């Protein structure tokens, strides 16, 4: 099942890139492995997947210790400040930075570990009350503050779009975030490090790619439905 699912996702990513006049290598596929057992991740690894996304710190650290060292781990879920110390130095990218308090803690822990941590700023484009993230107008002032931190690299933006039956309904959300991303790059407030736009999940990643996503986060499309009992 995994092999067939992955093949279908790859074909759909390639087709979306072609429609948008983009190269396939410009879009990184993140296999969202939350709640999935280590054996399933190993199977995905054997099929060539190297970038995995986890929602919970405990799950990420447990899997980090049990799987090959060349896996690039992405923290894509909401991150509490008291959990930062467990993942700094283990993640390639933290997608969900949405407050000064969290950024300060990542800076502090990164300094302790003697490393620089790559992060994305989470943006709640649709302004859903149930979602985390900054409002659009808060993003540039926020980045202007945190680029001063020497142990944090702002690499780009992330959003979780609303779950919709018709992915076209999210096109304006992805387009709006892409505009903001371009604005930030043009203002050069990031010291030239912004190059990532993480948007699009199983139900809408093709539209996200057409609107400029450089990373898509796909769980169900690869691994099947989530087990909510874990």
């Amino acid at each position: 099942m995994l092999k067939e699912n992955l093949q279908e996702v790859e074909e759909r990513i390639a087709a979306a890139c072609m429609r948008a006049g983009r190269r396939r290598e410009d879009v990184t596929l993140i296999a969202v492995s939350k709640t999935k057992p280590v054996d399933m991740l190993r199977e995905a690894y054997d099929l060539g997947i190297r970038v995995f996304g986890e929602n919970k710190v405990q799950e990420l650290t447990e899997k980090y210790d049990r799987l090959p060292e060349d896996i690039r781990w992405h923290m894509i879920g909401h991150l509490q400040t008291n959990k930062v110390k467990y993942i700094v130095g283990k993640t390639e990218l933290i997608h969900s930075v949405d407050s000064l308090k969290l950024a300060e803690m990542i800076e502090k822990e990164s300094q302790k570990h003697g490393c620089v941590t790559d992060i994305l700023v989470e943006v709640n484009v649709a302004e859903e009350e149930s979602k985390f993230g900054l409002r659009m107008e808060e993003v540039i002032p926020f980045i202007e503050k945190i680029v001063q931190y020497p142990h944090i690299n702002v690499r780009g933006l992330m959003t979780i779009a609303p779950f919709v039956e018709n992915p076209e309904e999210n096109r304006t959300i992805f387009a709006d975030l892409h505009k903001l991303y371009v604005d930030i790059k043009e203002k050069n407030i990031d010291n030239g490090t912004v190059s990532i736009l993480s948007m699009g999940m199983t139900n809408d990643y093709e539209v996200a790619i057409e609107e400029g996503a450089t990373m898509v986060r796909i769980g169900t499309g690869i691994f099947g439905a989530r087990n909510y009992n874990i």
Side-chain angles (χ1 to χ4, degrees), residues 155-174:
R155 296 299 316 280
L157 307 175
M158 180 272 249
T159 196
I160 300 171
F163 184 83
V164 290
E165 291 299 321
N166 178 5
E168 283 297 327
E169 290 176 39
N170 282 337
R171 189 176 290 278
T172 56
I173 285 166
F174 298 141

Side-chain angles (χ1 to χ4, degrees), residues 2 9 30 32-33 48 62-63 71 74 85 92 96 107 120-122 133-134 140 153 176-177 203 208 220:
L2 210 56
V9 167
I30 301 168
V32 178
S33 46
E62 284 171 2
K63 290 172 179 175
I71 286 177
H74 288 219
K85 60 188 172 190
E92 178 179 66
S96 47
E107 167 64 22
L120 301 181
V121 175
E122 182 171 359
L134 299 173
I140 288 176
N153 242 346
D176 287 348
L177 193 66
N203 64 319
T220 306

Side-chain angles (χ1 to χ4, degrees), residues 37-53:
V38 165
D39 288 351
M40 201 177 259
L41 273 70
R42 279 207 186 96
E43 191 184 340
Y45 179 90
D46 291 341
L47 290 166
I49 292 289
R50 291 296 178 272
V51 187
F52 289 88

Side-chain angles (χ1 to χ4, degrees), residues 29-215:
L29 169 60
I30 301 168
V32 178
S33 46
K34 57 189 177 185
T35 79
K36 298 303 175 189
V38 165
D39 288 351
M40 201 177 259
L41 273 70
R42 279 207 186 96
E43 191 184 340
Y45 179 90
D46 291 341
L47 290 166
I49 292 289
R50 291 296 178 272
V51 187
F52 289 88
E54 286 289 337
N55 266 47
K56 292 195 164 87
V57 168
Q58 188 179 347
E59 249 195 286
L60 190 152
T61 54
E62 284 171 2
K63 290 172 179 175
Y64 179 92
D65 290 334
R66 296 177 61 193
L67 287 157
E69 287 181 7
D70 63 336
I71 286 177
R72 288 136 56 200
W73 294 99
H74 288 219
M75 178 64 195
I76 60 174
H78 181 63
L79 180 58
Q80 296 168 302
T81 52
N82 64 343
K83 300 281 180 71
V84 170
K85 60 188 172 190
Y86 300 113
I87 61 162
V88 162
K90 293 183 175 179
T91 54
E92 178 179 66
L93 190 63
I94 297 172
H95 288 234
S96 47
V97 178
D98 62 352
S99 73
L100 207 50
K101 192 178 168 192
L102 179 56
E104 284 166 355
M105 186 57 74
I106 295 170
E107 167 64 22
K108 184 179 162 188
E109 291 297 331
S110 302
Q111 186 175 7
K112 270 191 207 169
H113 282 76
C115 66
V116 175
T117 300
D118 285 351
I119 66 160
L120 301 181
V121 175
E122 182 171 359
V123 189
N124 187 352
V125 183
E127 297 189 6
E128 290 183 278
E129 284 185 23
S130 60
K131 299 259 175 73
F132 295 100
L134 299 173
R135 294 160 76 98
M136 294 275 281
E137 64 272 15
E138 296 172 326
V139 173
I140 288 176
F142 179 70
I143 292 176
E144 285 171 340
K145 282 181 190 163
I146 65 174
V147 290
Q148 312 303 322
Y149 297 158
H151 299 90
I152 284 180
N153 242 346
V154 179
R155 296 299 316 280
L157 307 175
M158 180 272 249
T159 196
I160 300 171
F163 184 83
V164 290
E165 291 299 321
N166 178 5
E168 283 297 327
E169 290 176 39
N170 282 337
R171 189 176 290 278
T172 56
I173 285 166
F174 298 141
D176 287 348
L177 193 66
H178 183 261
K179 276 184 212 147
L180 179 60
Y181 166 80
V182 170
D183 283 350
I184 290 163
K185 284 169 75 76
E186 284 176 352
K187 287 185 192 331
N188 203 28
I189 55 172
D190 57 299
N191 302 321
T193 61
V194 165
S195 60
I196 296 171
L197 196 51
S198 170
M199 58 187 194
M201 304 198 310
T202 294
N203 64 319
D204 57 15
Y205 66 91
E206 291 153 290
V207 173
I209 289 168
E210 289 167 8
E211 294 301 331
T214 68
M215 283 184 177

